[in-house]
Amino acid sequence: MSSFNTIEWKDNRVVMIDQTKLPREETYVECRTYEDVADAIRRMVIRGAPAIGVAAGMGIALGAVNVPADDRAGFVSEVKRISGVILGTRPTAVNLSWAVKRMLRVLEEGEGGVDELKAILVKEARDILDEDIETCRNIGKAGAGLIRDNSAVLTHCNAGALATGGYGTALGVIRAAVEGGKNIKVIATETRPFLQGARLTAWELDRDGIPVTLITDNMAGYIMSKGMVSAVVVGADRIAANGDAANKIGTYTLSVLAKTHNIPFYVAAPLSTIDFDCPGGDSIPIEERDSREVTHINGTSIAPEVNVYNPAFDITPNENISAIITEKGVVEKPLAVNLSKLRG
Ligand code: MRU
């Protein structure tokens, strides 16, 4: 396990490590209302698909705990409204809507009055967190065998403990390989513009004593061409039914480079990231974020006032993915056929 808590439920508050401040400061944000949680998701105080799912569940639970209504119908309608606000925070990671649906299901099916429903919602949110940590461990176990001893694994963005309830998906695979005694070096891309690789992946691996080398995004092709990368492992924000995967902007570029250099390219993600209602990558909504993420670093302007385009994610087509690592095992090609066998 990692030596910090990404998110936890504490005395009817949601406490999360502030990922906008890492690695300079390790501080924690205490959310007292569902609006605080919604704001934290939008500002990326908490980010990463599974972690956003956990935050969504806890945001709804927090909102529910604070609803003053004492009649069931009034309570249910207010919690549904709160869920709509949480749902609207970020569009790409499907784990968010997955968690909202899960919370709404227990809201509809839960028995008893308002107090019982509040307790049921808090338990469900905490279960989402606990299950996510277990899921990541199982992703790690499933994928560790794909990683060779004495190898260098490139990862993009942050798909680690910070992006999940704990342990991580892509970094979970790496952690499990290291725990199994393998000598693994990680190459982390800095991941412009939000710098999740430089600020977060480098921080959490270094803190856990896993050797990490940081590169800028535009160095990946060169080091692949020099035979310095044995495998690429990334996370995902949404995987379509045909295996196309949305992940942090730049992932597609890495997949093309990996294919050119015959390097295996793995996507590690929980089943909650698979959107079977989405036929292919073209149907996945891509979030566009504020231009200041591109034009400024730590509040300092690095560019003139010109037009900026800032898509936060891209789509890696299924043909560029060697396999998808889930908590139920490694999904091999053909991805569409083999993913459909996992549909619950
Ligand atoms: O914008 P972010 O930081 O939320 O994007 C995160 C990613 O793209 C991660 O790679 C993805 O969510 C997988 S996290 C296990």
Side-chain angles (χ1 to χ4, degrees):
M1 253 325 270
S2 49
S3 51
F4 54 87
N5 287 325
T6 303
I7 180 166
E8 62 181 325
W9 181 271
K10 222 175 178 177
D11 306 327
N12 285 351
R13 307 256 193 280
V14 179
V15 180
M16 43 183 91
I17 191 165
D18 188 344
Q19 301 193 30
T20 66
K21 301 263 167 64
L22 288 171
R24 284 170 291 123
E25 274 175 46
E26 183 180 335
T27 47
Y28 291 79
V29 168
E30 197 182 84
C31 299
R32 291 161 180 263
T33 66
Y34 78 89
E35 287 103 329
D36 291 345
V37 175
D39 179 62
I41 298 173
R42 278 189 214 102
R43 289 196 303 113
M44 290 168 69
V45 167
I46 188 155
R47 32 63 52 203
I52 293 174
V54 175
M58 289 195 175
I60 293 169
L62 190 56
V65 164
N66 294 329
V67 170
D70 48 18
D71 67 298
R72 188 179 163 116
F75 174 79
V76 167
S77 118
E78 181 57 5
V79 175
K80 284 186 178 167
R81 189 193 64 75
I82 290 166
S83 302
V85 174
I86 296 284
L87 190 61
T89 50
R90 290 192 77 191
T92 303
V94 74
N95 306 64
L96 193 143
S97 56
W98 170 87
V100 170
K101 278 186 203 141
R102 194 169 149 167
M103 295 298 285
L104 289 176
R105 194 177 324 120
V106 298
L107 176 71
E108 297 283 3
E109 292 171 3
E111 285 175 9
V114 168
D115 287 345
E116 285 79 12
L117 283 181
K118 286 182 179 179
I120 287 169
L121 287 164
V122 171
K123 180 178 180 311
E124 192 69 10
R126 298 181 83 159
D127 284 353
I128 292 175
L129 171 62
D130 294 344
E131 288 168 25
D132 186 67
I133 298 170
E134 185 60 21
T135 295
C136 285
R137 286 202 169 273
N138 289 330
I139 291 172
K141 275 186 209 140
L146 296 170
I147 308 298
R148 287 203 325 265
D149 194 12
N150 296 315
S151 67
V153 178
L154 185 143
T155 190
H156 187 55
C157 192
N158 173 266
L162 287 165
T164 59
Y167 204 70
T169 54
L171 295 195
V173 171
I174 291 165
R175 280 201 168 89
V178 170
E179 285 164 14
K182 289 181 184 165
N183 172 29
I184 311 291
K185 288 194 176 71
V186 179
I187 299 165
T189 51
E190 69 171 352
T191 319
R192 276 278 289 150
F194 207 72
L195 301 174
Q196 290 94 331
R199 295 190 303 102
L200 307 177
T201 297
W203 179 79
E204 73 166 82
L205 289 176
D206 185 51
R207 187 163 163 143
D208 286 352
I210 298 175
V212 56
T213 301
L214 180 63
I215 61 167
T216 62
D217 300 319
N218 52 0
M219 294 172 186
Y222 174 71
I223 65 162
M224 286 188 192
S225 75
K226 290 289 171 194
M228 292 163 72
V229 178
S230 323
V232 179
V233 187
V234 295
D237 290 84
R238 190 184 300 227
I239 298 173
N242 70 347
D244 292 352
N247 192 48
K248 181 51 54 192
I249 191 78
T251 304
Y252 166 61
T253 317
L254 291 170
S255 77
V256 174
L257 286 168
K259 200 172 188 181
T260 297
H261 296 289
N262 283 319
I263 296 168
F265 185 95
Y266 301 115
V267 173
L271 296 185
S272 53
T273 301
I274 303 171
D275 184 354
F276 286 106
D277 295 332
C278 181
D282 285 349
S283 311
I284 299 178
I286 300 292
E287 178 183 14
E288 268 183 55
R289 292 190 61 87
D290 197 296
S291 61
R292 274 182 72 93
E293 289 181 358
V294 175
T295 57
H296 288 68
I297 292 183
N298 279 341
T300 302
S301 167
I302 55 154
E305 296 287 319
V306 293
N307 282 334
V308 169
Y309 179 45
N310 184 17
F313 301 96
D314 61 23
I315 305 293
T316 298
N318 57 42
E319 61 267 25
N320 289 6
I321 299 172
S322 309
I324 296 176
I325 306 163
T326 75
E327 68 271 33
K328 296 278 182 223
V330 177
V331 181
E332 309 274 2
K333 285 166 178 286
L335 293 177
V337 174
N338 291 329
L339 280 175
S340 70
K341 295 179 189 156
L342 295 176
R343 192 167 188 166

